[in-house]
């Protein structure tokens, strides 16, 4: 390989005792091959995205087809070596292939025997060699073996071909030379550049101190969800951004850090923006690896939702729900992906790419949950209810858009509370009579609309007072809006819709709060759903009188005229036109019953006959009252819903195992007072019964990982609003995803040591400063 010598004068990299003569040393460097590459080719090289490299061997191009630049080629090789050989999940069923008169297939035990290089493509069902692929075109005097490097090998009846490929006893075989090159590439201390650039132990120590300082600074900012960069990061700037200011603060408090930073060479200060993103990506990668390791090739469910970030880019958050080694339900964020559209094909492509990057398979998925149900969407199908919420939105524009008006509402409410306490209408005590303010609702969230309507009921006199002030003192456009709001708020229509939706959303809010729990299992969730449905049904059939009592009480308290339910209904949109129906028919049948019927229909659509049968079978796992609900045949029928996990032979084994299982747990006093299947799974692991009754535990696991709600995904979007704010609206999608993974998965993120990050930092690229 063509090389040249160049004089180097970098005294900061050498020990203080080194002589001036030795500071001018000859350093071996590679010829700048990229300089001779045409401009169009050089431009394509710069566009290589290491995150976009295909993982499956069947999709990969030759290394030389990506770039002619040797350093870029080494970066690609390091990325593949860091990922490791591509392999299907442990529960993958390798297909048979007819070879002559025999049916043979790949033996996964070969991974253990040929662990460091053997790959298997589940697209073409062939075996490959990772090391030979990476160095196929650069082994001197050898062209390489296309069977394992490019085309793939599937001669399952001749295992000896694997030994032949390795070249046992022949250290100079193509494969063994490629393996040595891989080891040397990942061990920078053996590289040629290092051999000509022996840095002193003192220099390496200073380099490590600087890198640890950068890692600690990134760790803190990720944990807090804070911005890294500053508007002006020059030396003269008074505010260089959170990262550099934090590095300087650490240096001010530690002499060793201050000394290492003061004398740092320009090319290994390790504080630039690219280094900050690199360290962040390593933290995210290690966190993801911990999640994947905890899943261990087992099954899981998906929780997916989309939301727009502050840059109005559609982001899809993916959360996995699985059981850990202790039998506990875990929901973990594995990525946030920008999607151009929310069609099924686009979402599936984005999901497949993410799974390939992090080493998961779609075949491990056993359940999916997408956010789609919305009480607000259903309720607004009624025109008058939609008008009601439209007027509420105008209220927030008029009153909530001004700090002065918000303060007026708080002060008026405080005065009213003080008078009510003085007259004995309100009692005092801890937590009572707190300051109230109007709460703006989200677009579709049950709880936010419930809290909005609840605050309107409590602050109604204050709201009317402020609206009258705006009508008198406000600007012309606000005056007309305030006048229209007062006219509407002092009608029976408004009072009725307010209390009706407050009651309906209150029931849904109780269900929503129950579903927010990460460890909620499907049986308890279904119990809550049935309870909410029954409550709505009861409101439809028996709740009219109690609802009207609340409406009349509110009207009397605030001097709003009641409507006689037996009078003819007057449509406020067409007051001169006869309606030929009474108020009772309109409000009870056309409004209340209509809205509740839509809600009930939504419940029934979500839980069809098949879903209800599935959930009914799951109830047979309930451990309450000494497993009173247990039914062997029901659980076997439940297993039939999962043909990938229970074939005909396993179904027979499960049926026999269930007989022994139920006798065992009923005789074990430790299983007497369990509250649900979550406690059952945890106790089975603690008592090692998950090993004794492995098929029963597998079926129980499938029940537990079934998604309940997308609350965890909603929390991720709340975190996204913390991480990506208006002042950080230009942050890249991958950087945002890395930051969110670390911010959301703090339990795993906090266990990462600096040495793990440094190890990746050394492997991923060649570094001028040695560590």
């Amino acid at each position: 390989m063509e090389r040249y010598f160049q004089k180097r004068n970098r005294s900061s990299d050498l020990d203080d005792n080194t002589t001036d003569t030795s500071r001018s040393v000859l350093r071996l460097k590679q010829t700048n091959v990229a300089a001779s590459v045409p401009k169009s080719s050089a431009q394509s090289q710069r566009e290589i995205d290491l995150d976009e490299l295909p993982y499956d061997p069947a999709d990969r191009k030759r290394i030389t087809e990506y770039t002619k630049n040797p350093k870029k080629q080494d970066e690609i090789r390091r990325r593949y070596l860091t990922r490791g050989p591509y392999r299907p999940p442990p529960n993958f069923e390798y297909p048979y292939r007819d070879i002559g008169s025999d049916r043979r297939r790949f033996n996964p035990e070969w991974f253990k025997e040929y662990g460091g290089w053997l790959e298997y493509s589940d697209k073409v069902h062939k075996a490959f060699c990772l090391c030979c692929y990476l160095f196929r075109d650069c082994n001197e005097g050898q062209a390489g073996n296309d069977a394992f490097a490019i085309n793939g090998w599937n001669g399952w009846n001749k295992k000896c071909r694997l030994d032949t490929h390795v070249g046992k006893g022949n250290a100079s075989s193509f494969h063994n030379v490629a393996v040595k090159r891989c080891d040397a590439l990942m061990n920078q201390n053996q590289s040629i550049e290092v051999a000509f650039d022996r840095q002193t132990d003192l220099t390496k120590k200073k380099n490590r101190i600087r890198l640890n300082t950068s890692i600690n600074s990134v760790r803190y900012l990720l944990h807090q969800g804070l911005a890294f960069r500053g508007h002006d990061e020059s030396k003269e700037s008074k505010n260089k951004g959170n990262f550099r200011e934090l590095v300087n603060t650490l240096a001010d408090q530690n002499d060793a850090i201050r000394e290492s930073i003061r004398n740092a060479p320009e090319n290994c200060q390790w504080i630039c923006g690219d280094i900050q993103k690199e360290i962040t990506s390593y933290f995210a990668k290690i966190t993801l690896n911990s999640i994947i390791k905890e899943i261990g090739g087992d099954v899981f469910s998906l929780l997916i939702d989309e939301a727009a970030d502050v840059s109005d880019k559609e982001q899809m958050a993916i959360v996995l729900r699985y059981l850990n080694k202790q039998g506990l339900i875990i929901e973990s964020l594995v990525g946030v992906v920008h999607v151009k559209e929310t069609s099924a094909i686009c979402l599936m492509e984005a999901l497949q790419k993410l799974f390939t990057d992090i080493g998961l398979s779609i075949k491990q998925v056993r359940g999916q949950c997408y956010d789609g149900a919305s009480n607000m969407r259903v309720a607004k199908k009624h025109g008058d209810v939609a008008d009601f919420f439209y007027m509420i939105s105008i209220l927030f524009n008029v009153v909530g858009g001004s700090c002065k008006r918000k303060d007026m509402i708080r002060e008026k409410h405080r005065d009213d509370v003080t008078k009510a306490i003085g007259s004995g209408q309100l009692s005092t005590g801890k937590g009572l009579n707190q300051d109230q303010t109007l709460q703006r609702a989200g677009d579709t969230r049950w709880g936010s609309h419930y809290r909005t309507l609840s605050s309107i009921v409590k602050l109604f006199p204050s709201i009317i007072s402020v609206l009258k002030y705006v009508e008198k003192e406000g600007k012309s456009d606000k005056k007309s809006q305030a006048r229209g709001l007062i006219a509407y708020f002092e009608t029976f229509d408004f009072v009725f819709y307010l209390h009706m939706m407050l009651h309906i959303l209150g029931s849904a809010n109780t269900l929503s709060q129950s579903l927010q729990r990460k460890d909620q299992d499907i049986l308890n969730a279904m119990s809550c759903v049935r309870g909410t449905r029954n409550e709505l049904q009861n409101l439809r059939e028996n709740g009219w009188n109690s609802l009207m009592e609340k409406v009349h009480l509110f009207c009397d308290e605030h001097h709003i005229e009641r409507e006689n339910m037996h009078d003819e209904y007057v449509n406020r949109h067409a007051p001169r036109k006869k309606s030929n129906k009474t108020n009772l028919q309109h409000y009870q049948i056309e409004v209340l019953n209509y809205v509740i019927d839509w809600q009930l229909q939504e419940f029934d659509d979500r839980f069809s006959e098949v879903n209800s049968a599935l959930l009914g079978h799951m109830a047979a796992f309930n451990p309450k009252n000494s497993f009173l609900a247990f039914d062997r045949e029901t659980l076997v029928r439940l297993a039939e819903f999962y043909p990938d996990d229970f074939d005909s032979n396993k179904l027979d084994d499960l049926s026999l195992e269930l007989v022994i299982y139920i006798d065992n747990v009923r005789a074990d006093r430790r299983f007497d007072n369990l509250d649900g299947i979550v406690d059952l799974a945890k106790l089975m692991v603690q008592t090692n019964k998950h090993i004794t009754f492995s098929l029963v535990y597998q079926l129980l696991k499938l029940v537990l990982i079934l998604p309940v709600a997308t609350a965890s995904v909603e929390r991720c979007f709340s975190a996204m609003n913390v991480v990506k704010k208006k002042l950080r609206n230009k942050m890249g999608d991958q950087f945002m995803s890395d930051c969110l993974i670390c911010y959301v998965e703090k339990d795993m993120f906090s266990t990462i040591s600096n040495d793990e990050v440094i190890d990746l930092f050394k492997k991923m690229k060649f570094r001028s400063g040695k560590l």
Side-chain angles (χ1 to χ4, degrees), residues 448-620:
S448 64
H449 280 85
Y450 173 73
R451 289 189 293 273
T452 296
L453 300 187
S454 179
S455 65
I456 290 175
V457 170
K458 296 176 181 177
L459 298 172
F460 187 77
S462 305
I463 292 172
I464 296 297
S465 175
V466 173
L467 287 175
K468 289 180 178 179
Y469 168 81
V470 175
E471 181 186 17
K472 182 179 179 181
E473 303 292 341
K475 296 181 180 178
S476 58
D477 57 334
K478 299 299 180 184
K479 281 185 178 181
S480 59
Q481 289 180 336
R483 190 179 304 112
L485 286 171
I486 293 172
Y488 178 69
F489 282 1
E490 293 182 342
T491 64
F492 181 86
D493 263 18
F494 167 77
V495 179
F496 179 81
Y497 294 132
L498 175 64
H499 285 81
M500 180 189 73
M501 292 310 304
L502 189 64
H503 194 130
I504 292 175
L505 293 176
S507 301
N509 184 60
T510 303
L511 174 62
S512 177
Q513 294 298 322
S514 174
L515 297 181
Q516 296 297 313
R517 291 171 48 196
K518 286 186 178 182
D519 61 346
Q520 182 68 273
D521 65 77
I522 193 67
L523 296 184
N524 283 332
M526 286 308 303
S527 177
C528 295
V529 169
R530 284 192 294 269
T532 302
R533 191 191 189 286
N534 292 337
E535 186 175 350
L536 290 174
Q537 186 71 41
N538 184 64
L539 174 61
R540 186 188 190 281
E541 296 175 357
N542 306 309
W544 172 256
N545 291 333
S546 62
L547 175 63
M548 291 307 298
E549 287 179 7
K550 295 178 182 178
V551 171
H552 289 159
L553 182 64
F554 188 90
C555 289
D556 295 342
E557 183 179 354
H558 300 291
H559 310 293
I560 297 173
E561 184 179 356
R562 296 187 186 185
E563 291 286 354
N564 189 324
M565 290 295 105
H566 300 290
D567 290 348
E568 182 176 359
Y569 170 69
V570 178
N571 188 342
R572 60 187 179 87
H573 300 295
R576 296 183 180 182
K577 185 178 180 180
K578 283 199 170 187
S579 63
N580 297 322
K581 55 188 173 186
T582 65
N583 287 325
L584 181 65
Q585 290 173 322
H586 171 71
Y587 288 110
Q588 183 177 13
I589 298 174
E590 295 184 347
V591 179
L592 178 65
N593 291 357
Y594 178 89
V595 172
I596 292 180
D597 285 344
W598 268 108
Q599 298 281 10
L600 297 177
Q601 183 63 46
E602 186 78 10
F603 276 108
D604 294 338
D605 290 343
R606 290 284 163 177
F607 303 100
S608 61
E609 183 177 349
V610 175
N611 290 336
S612 299
L614 175 63
L615 297 170
H617 295 334
M618 292 176 179

Side-chain angles (χ1 to χ4, degrees), residues 50 201 229 245 274 328 346 359 496 499 551 554 561 573 613:
L50 298 180
D201 291 339
R229 308 293 300 276
E245 292 294 340
D274 289 341
L328 302 176
C346 183
F496 179 81
H499 285 81
V551 171
F554 188 90
E561 184 179 356
H573 300 295

Side-chain angles (χ1 to χ4, degrees), residues 54-61 86 119-126 128 133 149-152:
Y55 201 2
D56 192 297
D59 298 331
R60 296 191 300 225
K61 299 186 297 185
Y86 179 81
E119 302 183 288
Y120 183 91
S121 170
D122 51 10
K123 285 190 176 181
V124 297
H125 300 295
K126 291 183 179 181
F128 294 81
Y133 158 73
I150 303 296
N151 300 328

Side-chain angles (χ1 to χ4, degrees), residues 106-119:
F106 180 88
N107 186 353
E109 293 295 322
W110 294 341
F111 286 137
K112 299 178 182 178
E113 188 173 352
Y114 307 96
W117 56 269
L118 186 59
E119 302 183 288

Side-chain angles (χ1 to χ4, degrees), residues 7 38 59 62 142 157 205-206 213 228 357 431 452 470 513 556 606 634 657 688 702 717 726-728 733 745:
K7 287 189 177 182
D59 298 331
R62 295 185 178 185
Q142 302 182 55
N157 61 328
K205 181 180 179 181
K206 290 182 178 180
T213 303
F228 284 51
D357 291 342
T452 296
V470 175
Q513 294 298 322
D556 295 342
R606 290 284 163 177
T634 299
E657 192 175 284
N688 288 327
L702 292 170
F717 290 134
K726 289 184 178 180
L727 294 179
R728 301 182 75 185
D733 295 328
E745 301 301 324

